[in-house]
Amino acid sequence: MPNSSRTIPFVTVDVFTETRFAGNPLAVITDARGLSDKEMQQIAAEFGYSETTFALPPKEPGNTAEVRIFTPVTEVPFAGNPNVGTAYVLASQGTIFGNPVSDRIRFEEKAGLVEVSVSRNDTGDVSVTTIRAPGPLTIGASIPQEVMAPCVGLSSGDIVTSRHHPTFASVGLKFILIEVKDLDTLARAGSRLEPLAALRQEYAAENCDCATFLYTWVGQDHLRARMFAPFDNVTEDPATGSASAALGAFLTTIETPPDERHLLIEQGVEMGRRSLIRLTIRTRNVAFDSVEISGSSVLVSRGELLI
């Protein structure tokens, strides 16, 4: 081994599940000090997960850590799965950069400050982590169903437009939200690169990689979803907290919302990696106020990278 090699600690967890090898895998670099942006991107590409996170000392001493999030091809300002999983890892290890990690965690991220609350079971182990999406709800362009359908391998009639047309929306990271008519339709969906590339060019003003979040209702306050982000090198994501949060927030604008609503979103079923994402959406004066994303995580591996 060359003398110049550095060892970088990492942990991997499965997020939005209590079952190992289900949910969404995440790599957490628990001490990223000294890594360049290029090295962070290379490490994320090496793991090949939907996201890899890198913990750095906070810029403000009252916060827990600065967290940077990379997909295999780019850095993103916010995502749900990385925050839920990173909070689980840091709360479980108990300290970060020589400081204790409390059950109220604050992450500095590109999208803003992300607040996390930690719940523990009777033995003191971390059971659930809950994050608040950092951004306000922003709603972009609507897309005609006949334009959207070929991008996800469906026909126009497969897309439900009685509540909304396919729409760009974000609470920190932007997605196209698409309601489809049933579970069979959802199972048939998939990205089609040529029409999706044309859509991305047509809607370039949205400054979005055109990740698509398709969903259908399977019960009151219970949805099944799938997410495709081929331009981020994510063929399909087993769990997408940021997209779920965007959907929960967006729904408050198309119906009269209660002061507080709870949604359960299942994702990853078609991939054999069932995930459970729980949302709490709050409104104030009949307008969106905040959305929280909750989930469990389970440790899979720990080790060292050689840089």
Side-chain angles (χ1 to χ4, degrees):
M1 181 177 14
N3 293 332
S4 58
S5 292
R6 291 177 287 153
T7 57
I8 307 295
F10 74 87
V11 175
T12 71
V13 289
D14 287 334
V15 185
F16 293 119
T17 181
E18 296 178 352
T19 304
R20 195 166 285 117
F21 311 129
N24 199 353
L26 172 75
V28 181
I29 310 305
T30 54
D31 185 350
R33 288 177 291 186
L35 290 176
S36 67
D37 290 5
K38 180 181 179 181
E39 287 171 327
M40 292 184 192
Q41 187 63 77
Q42 288 174 325
I43 290 169
E46 181 73 13
F47 275 108
Y49 295 158
S50 300
E51 294 98 2
T52 297
T53 62
F54 298 83
L56 294 159
K59 294 182 172 66
E60 296 294 332
N63 298 328
T64 308
E66 178 187 3
V67 175
R68 298 181 64 180
I69 305 168
F70 286 78
T71 75
V73 297
T74 191
E75 185 172 10
V76 294
F78 168 75
N81 166 65
N83 279 287
V84 169
T86 302
Y88 169 84
V89 169
L90 299 188
S92 295
Q93 73 180 25
T95 62
I96 181 81
F97 308 120
N99 298 315
V101 177
S102 74
D103 288 348
R104 302 295 297 180
I105 291 173
R106 291 159 65 91
F107 289 149
E108 300 168 355
E109 298 185 8
K110 299 289 186 183
L113 195 64
V114 177
E115 298 181 352
V116 190
S117 61
V118 177
S119 300
R120 297 179 182 271
N121 59 25
D122 292 341
T123 62
D125 295 326
V126 178
S127 57
V128 173
T129 49
T130 299
I131 69 169
R132 177 173 293 202
L137 171 63
T138 60
I139 300 173
S142 291
I143 304 167
Q145 66 198 92
E146 64 271 14
V147 174
M148 190 74 250
C151 299
V152 289
L154 299 176
S155 67
S156 295
D158 290 326
I159 295 176
V160 177
T161 58
S162 56
R163 280 179 282 262
H164 67 91
H165 284 78
T167 302
F168 290 93
S170 169
V171 287
L173 192 63
K174 190 177 289 186
F175 297 87
I176 303 172
L177 307 178
I178 307 162
E179 183 179 357
V180 299
K181 63 182 184 180
D182 53 31
L183 289 173
D184 289 340
T185 303
L186 189 67
R188 288 191 283 107
S191 290
R192 301 295 182 266
L193 289 180
E194 187 173 341
L196 194 62
L199 179 78
R200 186 185 186 190
Q201 184 172 0
E202 181 179 354
Y203 290 88
E206 291 291 335
N207 191 28
C208 177
D209 283 343
C210 291
T212 55
F213 191 65
L214 292 79
Y215 73 95
T216 191
W217 295 91
V218 295
Q220 185 175 8
D221 296 334
H222 182 185
L223 303 91
R224 174 89 64 83
R226 299 179 74 185
M227 198 285 280
F228 307 101
F231 298 124
D232 288 325
N233 203 30
V234 178
T235 304
E236 182 170 358
D237 196 23
T240 318
S242 50
S244 299
L247 175 61
F250 176 67
L251 291 175
T252 67
T253 70
I254 61 175
E255 54 191 39
T256 303
D259 292 342
E260 183 173 297
R261 185 181 190 182
H262 300 274
L263 291 179
L264 172 64
I265 298 181
E266 283 184 277
Q267 194 178 332
V269 175
E270 293 78 7
M271 303 173 66
R273 297 193 67 102
R274 181 173 180 257
S275 304
L276 296 176
I277 303 167
R278 300 183 187 278
L279 301 180
T280 300
I281 307 109
R282 296 185 177 89
T283 58
R284 182 178 299 175
N285 298 324
V286 201
F288 171 72
D289 180 59
S290 66
V291 57
E292 292 179 342
I293 309 156
S294 298
S296 300
S297 301
V298 60
L299 176 69
V300 176
S301 70
R302 58 166 62 94
E304 293 178 334
L305 293 165
L306 299 180
I307 305 297

